[in-house]
Amino acid sequence: MRRIFERIIEGVLACSGFVTSVTIVLIVLFLFSEAMGLFSSKVVEDGYVLALHKDNEVDEMSPEQIKNVFDSEIANWKELGGQDMPIVLFRLEDAERYFTEEQLGEGYEKAGECITGLVERTPGIVAFVPRQFITRPDAVHLVKDNTISLKDVFAGAEWFPTATPAPLFGFLPLITGTLWVSLFAILIALPFGLAVAIYMSEVANRRVRDVLKPVIELLSGIPSVVYGFFGLIVIVPLLQQVFDLPVGESGLAGSIVLAIMALPTIITVTEDAMRNCPRAMREASLALGASQWQTIYKVVIPYSISGITSGVVLGIGRAVGETMAVLMVTGNAAVIPTSILEPLRTIPATIAAELGEAPAGGAHYASLFLLGVVLFFISLIINFTVEAVSRRSR
């Protein structure tokens, strides 16, 4: 009977592990399937075209070039490899400037002929209009509408998913913002975390350790939004005053908040690793004449370096994946940061802020899932690093 009961327990545990593994795989596959839809989306907004004069030599334009043209930052076709003539912009809402209501028709039923004719007789025009308003495609020159490429996404320097006529899905500002904040968070948290771990493991008496350890572990249970409020009310105004910044929301504010959030993980893992150092090694070092501090940095820390590294990497994982606290204090500016004192935006904050507004199945929606894939790979690299460090320790 006992053997049967043990077999049942083994079966339940095996089934639970199998279901968990399958669930994780399905989640990853869903993430990838939704994300890959971005690369089948067109550069120009769905249902619209960019119509040029028949003699215009420009065949293709990148999303950045289209944005610069319609922002009037590019004003001559020569800058795009075409003829030396000024660019004339035309959007559908400009139709009433060129035509009367009678010419367009009460329901815009004659707008197609009017717009097509305007493109035919205006050499430098670029018209961003619905496809059905180009009634004679052979009489005009349509810019080739390519699909969004890997280069547009992973080498793009601008994140502007709601831009018209061509949304911009450049990941560089978000990836660099995430890594920038995480790097400075660890640079701030590591010395403090290591110092506290050394104190608790090697210096503090048992009574002090019994008080500090629960308090530090309690920090990891505080909701991230509370850390965000603390950063917004205390850290942001302080940085604005100290560094004389126009706004205090910056990468440094996010790094400090993340450093505070990563401290419990770093302290707990590092302190446990140092306490696992055999007592015999400490006593041998002291017996040979070494001081307590010489024993700490020449015996205890080298012996515990794998555990210390694991704590640091786990702290990085906490910093990389954090959402709410970073969303509240970094300023959410989707630009490539050149200084830690500038506002920036991270991948988790972007997903949290924009997923509710993105139309399901659209390019913006798919790009946010692709950001999730990028974050997944970053986390995967961190986990592999922890595993490699742990294996070396064993």
Side-chain angles (χ1 to χ4, degrees), residues 193-216:
L194 186 59
V196 174
I198 292 173
Y199 173 76
M200 291 179 57
S201 174
E202 305 298 322
V203 179
N205 57 47
R206 183 173 182 178
R207 182 177 299 177
V208 174
R209 187 184 304 117
D210 289 344
V211 172
L212 282 180
K213 194 171 181 65
V215 171
I216 291 172

Side-chain angles (χ1 to χ4, degrees), residues 305-306 309 387-394:
I305 192 65
S306 295
T309 306
E387 182 64 26
V389 170
S390 301
R391 189 180 297 115
R392 186 179 67 178
S393 176
R394 289 194 294 269

Side-chain angles (χ1 to χ4, degrees), residues 193 196-197 200 208-224 227 260-273 275 318:
V196 174
M200 291 179 57
V208 174
R209 187 184 304 117
D210 289 344
V211 172
L212 282 180
K213 194 171 181 65
V215 171
I216 291 172
E217 291 177 348
L218 181 64
L219 291 175
S220 61
I222 297 176
S224 60
Y227 284 106
I260 296 172
M261 298 180 68
L263 275 176
T265 301
I266 296 175
I267 292 172
T268 301
V269 176
T270 302
E271 193 253 346
D272 290 342
R275 287 179 64 82
R318 175 74 186 270

Side-chain angles (χ1 to χ4, degrees), residues 201-344:
S201 174
E202 305 298 322
V203 179
N205 57 47
R206 183 173 182 178
R207 182 177 299 177
V208 174
R209 187 184 304 117
D210 289 344
V211 172
L212 282 180
K213 194 171 181 65
V215 171
I216 291 172
E217 291 177 348
L218 181 64
L219 291 175
S220 61
I222 297 176
S224 60
V225 69
V226 176
Y227 284 106
F229 277 122
F230 171 76
L232 196 62
I233 301 301
V234 178
I235 297 175
V236 167
L238 181 63
L239 292 179
Q240 184 176 7
Q241 183 178 1
V242 170
F243 293 100
D244 193 23
L245 302 173
V247 290
E249 288 86 354
S250 61
L252 182 57
S255 296
I256 294 174
V257 172
L258 288 183
I260 296 172
M261 298 180 68
L263 275 176
T265 301
I266 296 175
I267 292 172
T268 301
V269 176
T270 302
E271 193 253 346
D272 290 342
M274 296 177 70
R275 287 179 64 82
N276 286 332
C277 179
R279 182 176 180 180
M281 294 184 65
R282 293 186 176 89
E283 293 176 347
S285 175
L286 295 171
L288 290 172
S291 66
Q292 183 182 11
W293 290 105
Q294 287 174 325
T295 300
I296 289 173
Y297 74 80
K298 286 188 175 291
V299 176
V300 177
I301 291 180
Y303 180 87
S304 312
I305 192 65
S306 295
I308 294 172
T309 306
S310 298
V312 173
V313 174
L314 289 172
I316 294 174
R318 175 74 186 270
V320 169
E322 184 51 50
T323 303
M324 284 308 300
V326 178
L327 182 65
M328 297 172 69
V329 301
T330 54
N332 291 313
V335 294
I336 297 177
T338 58
S339 168
I340 194 62
L341 297 176
E342 296 178 359
L344 48 77

Side-chain angles (χ1 to χ4, degrees), residues 70 88-92 94-95 98 115 118 125-129:
F70 280 85
V88 179
L89 300 177
F90 179 86
R91 299 176 178 87
L92 185 59
D94 298 328
Y98 291 87
I115 293 173
L118 177 65
I125 196 170
V126 52
F128 172 58
V129 293

